[in-house]
Amino acid sequence: MEKRIPIITILFLLSAFIFAAPEDISFIRIKIWAPYDAVPSLDNSSSYNKDDPFKHASDLLTDTGKFILNAMVYGWNFSITPKDNSRGVKEYAEFLPQKGIDSDFSSIKWTNTVFEQDRITCWLEFDRSPLMMHAKSWWNTINIPRIHGKGEYPYSGDFEAIKEVFFDAAKKAVLSYAKKTEKNIPKEITGLLLLKTDTPKLRIDSGKYVADLDFFLYVDKIVRYSQ
């Protein structure tokens, strides 16, 4: 007699397959770092606090950690206009979080803190909520390419510079993808990006932040110049 698998069992197996994917784990653990102080400049006085010498690093770790988690859990909306010299078009890029950074990340744990000569390093640990897992599973239900970008931005030791180097890596990743898939330079590219759940490769090289990052890309629309 033919055996039939109950529909409930099939649905359970399908959901188990989705949540068993390597990028769909609930637990996130990444290593991040922050300098003890920002680089002083003419318009930015030193952030050193003699009453709390670790305040700058502590604040930067908190802001950076939440920023990275937001990119890994919810992702960014983006709109990019590639540079086109023949048309006199300047490059433009905008990245906006899918969801604001709020109390969703109040349960972050900071472990294995190490005080090095010029920075503090630690491990950030976070458990996705069921709702976050559901949001992540959406990325596994469609054909999503994985892209890579290397961003650069002048080093200053503050949070704004870290955001800018991440955005620069994201922009270059999307433009590199478009260059491979589009015959001509498009007018605009819009879509969603999700940062891969790995420790971001962020370093300082020749006075610049350098970020090597991997993303998952969903292209919403590619606008081409009319003939």
Side-chain angles (χ1 to χ4, degrees), residues 77-93:
N77 293 301
F78 71 84
S79 174
I80 298 175
T81 298
K83 181 179 180 180
D84 191 336
N85 291 327
S86 65
R87 292 184 170 89
V89 176
K90 295 182 179 180
E91 185 178 87
Y92 170 81

Side-chain angles (χ1 to χ4, degrees), residues 25-42:
I25 57 174
S26 62
F27 182 65
I28 297 174
R29 187 172 190 265
I30 59 174
K31 188 176 183 180
I32 61 176
W33 60 272
Y36 291 110
D37 195 13
V39 176
S41 65
L42 294 176

Side-chain angles (χ1 to χ4, degrees), residues 23-79:
E23 274 297 316
D24 203 21
I25 57 174
S26 62
F27 182 65
I28 297 174
R29 187 172 190 265
I30 59 174
K31 188 176 183 180
I32 61 176
W33 60 272
Y36 291 110
D37 195 13
V39 176
S41 65
L42 294 176
D43 58 352
N44 177 34
S45 59
S46 174
S47 59
Y48 180 75
N49 186 326
K50 64 179 181 180
D51 297 323
D52 185 0
F54 303 124
K55 178 173 173 41
H56 173 77
S58 176
D59 291 345
L60 184 55
L61 285 171
T62 300
D63 291 339
T64 302
K66 289 183 177 181
F67 171 73
I68 292 174
L69 275 181
N70 188 279
M72 291 179 172
V73 172
Y74 297 117
W76 306 325
N77 293 301
F78 71 84
S79 174

Side-chain angles (χ1 to χ4, degrees), residues 145-148 172-182 189 217 219 222:
R146 175 174 157 176
I147 60 176
H148 174 82
K172 290 176 178 174
V174 174
L175 291 177
S176 178
Y177 173 83
K179 189 175 181 179
K180 296 175 182 177
T181 58
E182 295 295 305
I189 311 164
L217 170 68
V219 177
I222 296 180

